[in-house]
Amino acid sequence: MQPVIDILDSRVAAAMKAATDQTDCAALVKPSANPKFGDYQANGIMALAKNLKINPRELAEKVVKKLNVDDICEIPEIAGPGFINLRLKKEFIAKSMLEINADADNRLAVDQVKKPQNVVVDFSGPNIAKQMHVGHLRSTIIGDAIARMLDFLGHDVVRQNHIGDWGTQFGMLIAYLKQENPEVIKNPDSVHIGDLEQFYKDAKQKSDDDADFNDESRKQVVNLHNHHKETIMVWQHIVDESRKHYQPIYDRLSVDLHKENERGESFYADRLADVVKALQKQNLAEESDGAICVFSEGFKNKEGQPLPFIIQKTDGAFLYATTDLAAIHYRINELKAKRIIYVTDARQKLHFQMLFAVTKAAGWAGDDVKLEHVTFGTVLGEDGKPLKTRSGENVKLKELLDEAVSRARGVVEAKNPELSEKEKENIANTVGIGAIKYADYSNNRESDYVFSFDKMLAMEGNTAPYMQYAFARIKSIERKAADKGVDIEKDLKGLKKLNLTDDAELDLGKHILRYAEAIEIAAAECRPNYLTTYLYELSQKFSTFYTSCPVLVAENEQRPTRLLLCKLTEKTIQHGLTKLLGIEVVEKM
Ligand code: ARG
C-alpha cells in the first residue's frame, strides 16, 4: 500500500496537469491542520495560478473537475483562495484497514521503495581506549534508528562505525601496556583492561612524567605506521579490549552494530598519502605555512580570510580530515554509496561542510550522490549546562543506563509488587533503557535537551513508559476477552466488512493508515521524532476511542471492528517501537 498522501499528491498533480497543460505541477498535499477541513489539503494551486496569471479559485474549480479521487475521498471541496480539501471515505478507510490487517504480523502493508539506494550510515564512532560517555549516546541511537527505518523501507543500508582506532596516542597506549604487562606479547588473551578510562589516564600520566617513556611511545607510533608485527598485535589487543566495553552497551541499547560494521580510522591509514597526492595533482591542495591545505570557495574565517581544510601537517602527519576524505572516497567508489549520512553533534558542522565541498570539487561525488550531515544538540543537566558528573567529568554511558534501570525498578516495585522477580527485572530493563532512548528520539534532534530521569520515566506524556503501557493495556484487553466469553480470533477471522460509525473509531482508523506516511517522512528527513510523535498521537487516539467505545461488551455487529482497531493499534505501536526504534515492549507492566 502506498501512503495515502502520496496517492493523493500524484492524483492532484495529474489533474493540475490535465487542467493547464503544464508539465511541472506540484500538488503540495499536506495533512489538514484542522479536521473541520477534511483530512488532507492540496496547497499547490495558488503557486500554479500565480505562474499562469489566472485566478486561483477558478483554477481550483477546473482542477477539481479533472480530479479523480472517487475511490478514496468524498467530493473535494475548494476553500479560501484555492485550497482543495480532501476527506477520506469510510469505505476507503475500512478497505485499507483490512489490507493492513492481512499483513499485520509482517510489514503492516507498508510498501518498500521502488528504487532502493545504497545508503551508508556513519554513526556512533567511539574512540578506542576511552569509555563511551553521554556524548556518544545520541549518535549511536539516532544513527541506529535512521538505519533501521531506511532498511525497513527496502534500501541497502551499510552501517559504518568510524571508530577512532588510530593516531599518535596509540604509541603511548602500546608502550604503556607493554611495560605494565609484558605478558601481552606472549599471551595477549590473558591481559585484560578492566577500566579503560583509568588505563588511558595512567598512560597519559606516565607520558607527562617520563621522557624515556615518550621516546618509546614515539617508536611505537613509527612501528605502527610500518605495520611492525609486535606493535600491531598489541594495538589490536587494545582495540579488542575496548570493544568489550562498547559492544555490551550496543547490545543493551538494542543498537545493531557489530564488529563487522567497524571501519575505523586505521582502515584508511595506508590510503592517506594517496589522497593528499591526488588532491595536489588536481591543484586543489596547496602548501600554506608548511601544511597542505585545501581552500574551498565560500569558507572564510572571522577576518574574512580563506579557511583551510588541513590535510597534512608540517611534520607530515595526517589528520581527522584526511581520514574522512579517504573514507568518503571509499564509500562512493567501493561501497557504491548514493547517499551518505553522517550522524555527529552539531560542533562538527564546519568539518563536514568542508569535507563535502572538497569531495565535490575533486569530482568524487556527482549529482547522483547525496551527502548529508545529520546533526544533533547537546544533552544537558538539570542546570542547563552539558551533562556532567558532580566532579565535572563526562557521564559514562554505562552508568547512565544502570541508573535508568534501577529507577525503573523502583517504579515497578511501587506499582506492581506482586510480579515475580524475573518479570520485575525484565520490565525494569525494558522501561529504563526504553526511557532513555525514547526521550532522546522524541526531541527535535537539533535542539539541546535536559536529561531528566523523572520526566523520561513518567507514565504520562510522550514517554517510553506511556507508550509501553499503551501497548500492555491493549494486551490486557485481549487477556480479558476470554473471561467475557469473547473469542477474538473467531471475531477477526474472515472479517470482510467493517462497521466504522463512531467518530473516535474513524479518527483512530485514519491514523492507523498514516503509519507509512510517518515512516516515509521520518526516514527522508532523518528525524525519529516524527515517528515518536506519530506513535504518541496513535496512543492518544486509542485512549479516546477506548473511553467512548466499549470493545468486549459491544454488540455483535460492532465488536469485530473494534477488536480490529485494538489489534492494529497494538501491532503498529509494537512495530514502531521495536522494529524501527529498537525499544522493547512488555505484555504486562
Ligand atoms: N570519532 C569521532 C568522534 O568521536 C566520530 C566519527 C564520526 N564519523 C566520521 N566519519 N568523522 O567525534
Side-chain angles (χ1 to χ4, degrees), residues 122 124-127 136 162-164 265 320 324 331 342 344 348 351-352:
D122 174 323
S124 195
N127 296 322
H136 291 108
H162 193 86
I163 56 173
E265 296 182 4
Y320 185 60
D324 256 329
R331 290 164 185 183
Y342 294 84
T344 85
Q348 296 198 37
H351 166 76
F352 284 106

mmCIF file of all heavy atoms in Angstrom, residues 122 124-127 136 162-164 265 320 324 331 342 344 348 351-352, ligand 1:
data_model
loop_
_atom_site.group_PDB
_atom_site.id
_atom_site.type_symbol
_atom_site.label_atom_id
_atom_site.label_comp_id
_atom_site.label_asym_id
_atom_site.label_seq_id
_atom_site.Cartn_x
_atom_site.Cartn_y
_atom_site.Cartn_z
ATOM 1 N N ASP A 122 26.884 6.498 8.831
ATOM 2 C CA ASP A 122 28.091 6.566 9.663
ATOM 3 C C ASP A 122 27.656 7.065 11.034
ATOM 4 O O ASP A 122 27.218 8.200 11.164
ATOM 5 C CB ASP A 122 29.080 7.532 8.983
ATOM 6 C CG ASP A 122 30.338 7.827 9.794
ATOM 7 O OD1 ASP A 122 30.262 7.934 11.036
ATOM 8 O OD2 ASP A 122 31.401 8.005 9.166
ATOM 9 N N SER A 124 27.843 6.450 15.634
ATOM 10 C CA SER A 124 28.469 6.011 16.885
ATOM 11 C C SER A 124 29.935 6.478 16.946
ATOM 12 O O SER A 124 30.244 7.413 17.642
ATOM 13 C CB SER A 124 28.347 4.505 17.081
ATOM 14 O OG SER A 124 28.646 4.204 18.426
ATOM 15 N N GLY A 125 30.828 5.812 16.258
ATOM 16 C CA GLY A 125 32.220 6.261 16.168
ATOM 17 C C GLY A 125 32.911 6.570 17.491
ATOM 18 O O GLY A 125 33.510 7.630 17.640
ATOM 19 N N PRO A 126 32.867 5.639 18.455
ATOM 20 C CA PRO A 126 33.557 5.919 19.716
ATOM 21 C C PRO A 126 35.073 5.903 19.514
ATOM 22 O O PRO A 126 35.561 5.382 18.516
ATOM 23 C CB PRO A 126 33.137 4.764 20.616
ATOM 24 C CG PRO A 126 32.827 3.638 19.694
ATOM 25 C CD PRO A 126 32.290 4.275 18.441
ATOM 26 N N ASN A 127 35.776 6.478 20.463
ATOM 27 C CA ASN A 127 37.229 6.468 20.388
ATOM 28 C C ASN A 127 37.772 5.367 21.276
ATOM 29 O O ASN A 127 37.406 5.237 22.442
ATOM 30 C CB ASN A 127 37.778 7.835 20.765
ATOM 31 C CG ASN A 127 37.311 8.876 19.758
ATOM 32 O OD1 ASN A 127 37.232 8.613 18.549
ATOM 33 N ND2 ASN A 127 36.944 10.053 20.254
ATOM 34 N N HIS A 136 28.295 10.081 23.242
ATOM 35 C CA HIS A 136 28.154 9.088 22.179
ATOM 36 C C HIS A 136 26.750 8.507 22.080
ATOM 37 O O HIS A 136 26.428 7.802 21.140
ATOM 38 C CB HIS A 136 29.152 7.932 22.390
ATOM 39 C CG HIS A 136 30.561 8.341 22.177
ATOM 40 N ND1 HIS A 136 31.444 8.476 23.203
ATOM 41 C CD2 HIS A 136 31.219 8.696 21.051
ATOM 42 C CE1 HIS A 136 32.617 8.876 22.725
ATOM 43 N NE2 HIS A 136 32.504 9.018 21.423
ATOM 44 N N HIS A 162 32.795 4.386 12.405
ATOM 45 C CA HIS A 162 34.087 5.029 12.129
ATOM 46 C C HIS A 162 34.815 5.230 13.469
ATOM 47 O O HIS A 162 34.965 6.352 13.956
ATOM 48 C CB HIS A 162 33.799 6.371 11.449
ATOM 49 C CG HIS A 162 34.969 7.049 10.812
ATOM 50 N ND1 HIS A 162 35.387 6.788 9.534
ATOM 51 C CD2 HIS A 162 35.794 8.026 11.266
ATOM 52 C CE1 HIS A 162 36.417 7.571 9.221
ATOM 53 N NE2 HIS A 162 36.689 8.333 10.265
ATOM 54 N N ILE A 163 35.268 4.125 14.048
ATOM 55 C CA ILE A 163 35.860 4.223 15.386
ATOM 56 C C ILE A 163 37.226 4.916 15.321
ATOM 57 O O ILE A 163 37.951 4.819 14.334
ATOM 58 C CB ILE A 163 36.002 2.831 16.063
ATOM 59 C CG1 ILE A 163 36.824 1.879 15.187
ATOM 60 C CG2 ILE A 163 34.656 2.220 16.354
ATOM 61 C CD1 ILE A 163 37.138 0.550 15.860
ATOM 62 N N GLY A 164 37.543 5.618 16.392
ATOM 63 C CA GLY A 164 38.831 6.305 16.483
ATOM 64 C C GLY A 164 39.881 5.324 16.989
ATOM 65 O O GLY A 164 40.153 5.236 18.178
ATOM 66 N N GLU A 265 39.356 4.357 11.744
ATOM 67 C CA GLU A 265 40.349 5.228 11.106
ATOM 68 C C GLU A 265 41.549 4.421 10.603
ATOM 69 O O GLU A 265 42.152 4.743 9.580
ATOM 70 C CB GLU A 265 40.789 6.302 12.099
ATOM 71 C CG GLU A 265 39.637 7.227 12.501
ATOM 72 C CD GLU A 265 40.058 8.338 13.447
ATOM 73 O OE1 GLU A 265 41.270 8.447 13.743
ATOM 74 O OE2 GLU A 265 39.178 9.099 13.886
ATOM 75 N N TYR A 320 42.311 14.084 11.037
ATOM 76 C CA TYR A 320 40.917 13.614 11.012
ATOM 77 C C TYR A 320 40.308 13.876 9.628
ATOM 78 O O TYR A 320 39.627 13.026 9.053
ATOM 79 C CB TYR A 320 40.160 14.391 12.096
ATOM 80 C CG TYR A 320 38.726 14.007 12.352
ATOM 81 C CD1 TYR A 320 38.380 12.716 12.750
ATOM 82 C CD2 TYR A 320 37.702 14.955 12.256
ATOM 83 C CE1 TYR A 320 37.058 12.385 13.027
ATOM 84 C CE2 TYR A 320 36.377 14.630 12.531
ATOM 85 C CZ TYR A 320 36.058 13.342 12.914
ATOM 86 O OH TYR A 320 34.752 13.015 13.190
ATOM 87 N N ASP A 324 38.790 11.290 6.787
ATOM 88 C CA ASP A 324 37.421 11.393 6.293
ATOM 89 C C ASP A 324 37.380 11.509 4.774
ATOM 90 O O ASP A 324 36.428 11.042 4.140
ATOM 91 C CB ASP A 324 36.689 12.567 6.964
ATOM 92 C CG ASP A 324 35.721 12.057 8.027
ATOM 93 O OD1 ASP A 324 35.197 10.934 7.850
ATOM 94 O OD2 ASP A 324 35.491 12.766 9.024
ATOM 95 N N ARG A 331 33.705 5.022 0.306
ATOM 96 C CA ARG A 331 32.259 4.768 0.342
ATOM 97 C C ARG A 331 31.615 4.991 -1.018
ATOM 98 O O ARG A 331 30.715 4.251 -1.414
ATOM 99 C CB ARG A 331 31.618 5.662 1.404
ATOM 100 C CG ARG A 331 32.018 5.226 2.795
ATOM 101 C CD ARG A 331 31.748 6.263 3.847
ATOM 102 N NE ARG A 331 32.266 5.792 5.130
ATOM 103 C CZ ARG A 331 32.141 6.448 6.266
ATOM 104 N NH1 ARG A 331 31.539 7.628 6.287
ATOM 105 N NH2 ARG A 331 32.641 5.948 7.381
ATOM 106 N N TYR A 342 26.047 11.140 7.812
ATOM 107 C CA TYR A 342 26.955 11.206 8.963
ATOM 108 C C TYR A 342 26.169 11.724 10.159
ATOM 109 O O TYR A 342 25.571 12.792 10.081
ATOM 110 C CB TYR A 342 28.096 12.189 8.689
ATOM 111 C CG TYR A 342 29.039 11.760 7.580
ATOM 112 C CD1 TYR A 342 28.742 12.022 6.251
ATOM 113 C CD2 TYR A 342 30.237 11.108 7.881
ATOM 114 C CE1 TYR A 342 29.617 11.646 5.237
ATOM 115 C CE2 TYR A 342 31.117 10.724 6.876
ATOM 116 C CZ TYR A 342 30.801 10.993 5.561
ATOM 117 O OH TYR A 342 31.662 10.617 4.558
ATOM 118 N N THR A 344 26.636 13.079 13.667
ATOM 119 C CA THR A 344 27.516 13.568 14.745
ATOM 120 C C THR A 344 26.941 14.846 15.331
ATOM 121 O O THR A 344 26.015 15.424 14.772
ATOM 122 C CB THR A 344 28.951 13.915 14.272
ATOM 123 O OG1 THR A 344 28.958 15.257 13.770
ATOM 124 C CG2 THR A 344 29.483 12.960 13.222
ATOM 125 N N GLN A 348 30.560 19.537 14.693
ATOM 126 C CA GLN A 348 31.374 19.118 13.543
ATOM 127 C C GLN A 348 30.810 19.626 12.209
ATOM 128 O O GLN A 348 31.239 19.194 11.138
ATOM 129 C CB GLN A 348 31.490 17.587 13.518
ATOM 130 C CG GLN A 348 32.230 17.041 14.722
ATOM 131 C CD GLN A 348 32.733 15.611 14.511
ATOM 132 O OE1 GLN A 348 33.149 15.231 13.426
ATOM 133 N NE2 GLN A 348 32.688 14.822 15.573
ATOM 134 N N HIS A 351 33.365 21.030 9.727
ATOM 135 C CA HIS A 351 34.204 19.950 9.216
ATOM 136 C C HIS A 351 33.513 19.252 8.042
ATOM 137 O O HIS A 351 34.108 19.029 6.992
ATOM 138 C CB HIS A 351 34.528 18.953 10.328
ATOM 139 C CG HIS A 351 35.096 17.641 9.828
ATOM 140 N ND1 HIS A 351 36.397 17.517 9.384
ATOM 141 C CD2 HIS A 351 34.523 16.409 9.676
ATOM 142 C CE1 HIS A 351 36.604 16.259 8.997
ATOM 143 N NE2 HIS A 351 35.489 15.573 9.152
ATOM 144 N N PHE A 352 32.245 18.892 8.231
ATOM 145 C CA PHE A 352 31.553 18.146 7.170
ATOM 146 C C PHE A 352 31.212 19.026 5.972
ATOM 147 O O PHE A 352 31.266 18.563 4.838
ATOM 148 C CB PHE A 352 30.326 17.415 7.731
ATOM 149 C CG PHE A 352 30.717 16.178 8.505
ATOM 150 C CD1 PHE A 352 30.663 16.148 9.890
ATOM 151 C CD2 PHE A 352 31.186 15.053 7.844
ATOM 152 C CE1 PHE A 352 31.062 15.025 10.609
ATOM 153 C CE2 PHE A 352 31.584 13.917 8.546
ATOM 154 C CZ PHE A 352 31.519 13.897 9.926
HETATM 155 N N1 ARG B 1 35.265 9.522 16.437
HETATM 156 C C1 ARG B 1 34.546 10.722 16.125
HETATM 157 C C2 ARG B 1 34.220 11.468 17.406
HETATM 158 O O1 ARG B 1 34.236 10.896 18.480
HETATM 159 C C3 ARG B 1 33.255 10.474 15.378
HETATM 160 C C4 ARG B 1 33.399 9.952 13.977
HETATM 161 C C5 ARG B 1 32.342 10.462 13.056
HETATM 162 N N2 ARG B 1 32.494 9.993 11.720
HETATM 163 C C6 ARG B 1 33.330 10.474 10.794
HETATM 164 N N3 ARG B 1 33.377 9.894 9.623
HETATM 165 N N4 ARG B 1 34.093 11.530 11.036
HETATM 166 O O2 ARG B 1 33.922 12.648 17.325
#
